[in-house]
Amino acid sequence: MNTNGIDQVLAMLRTTAAEAAGKPAEAGAAEGADFASVLKNSIEQVNQTQQTAEGMAEKFAAGDGNQNLHEVMLALQKASVSFQEMVQVRNKLVTAYHDVMNMQI
């Protein structure tokens, strides 16, 4: 599973948190990465993983001899783990948003 997009989002969040706290940001933490595009790419990767796993499962259920049960189960587990990871990142983003909104100026 490719986690580059998630790593970029987390690096950007750390940089933003450091800037908000008045600390210098780590060098190269958010090297021009656009937050929206990184988030969109991560979601698209999770979606693609889920679609691939569903397609494999449907072919296996239809009796396609080219689909191996082990490969189908691994694909389904990868899709599940990637979705759970995306949900956790979303939860962290929502928490960070609430923290920023509750800051007193």
Side-chain angles (χ1 to χ4, degrees), residues 11-49:
M12 289 173 42
L13 286 173
R14 288 184 187 110
T15 301
T16 305
E19 289 173 358
K23 299 177 185 174
E26 295 176 13
E31 298 172 340
D34 180 23
F35 180 78
S37 65
V38 170
L39 189 60
K40 181 180 176 190
N41 289 339
S42 298
I43 292 171
E44 287 174 354
Q45 287 176 346
V46 170
N47 186 39
Q48 183 62 36
T49 303

Side-chain angles (χ1 to χ4, degrees), residues 54-102:
E54 275 186 39
M56 289 175 71
E58 288 174 1
K59 288 179 184 177
F60 181 78
D64 185 357
N66 294 331
Q67 296 298 320
N68 184 342
L69 176 61
H70 300 304
E71 292 173 3
V72 173
M73 294 304 293
L74 284 173
L76 289 170
Q77 284 297 342
K78 285 180 184 179
S80 175
V81 168
S82 64
F83 181 75
Q84 290 172 4
E85 183 178 24
M86 183 184 69
V87 168
Q88 291 301 317
V89 169
R90 186 224 38 200
N91 292 344
K92 292 289 184 179
L93 289 171
V94 169
T95 301
Y97 172 78
H98 286 295
D99 290 346
V100 169
M101 294 306 293
N102 290 331

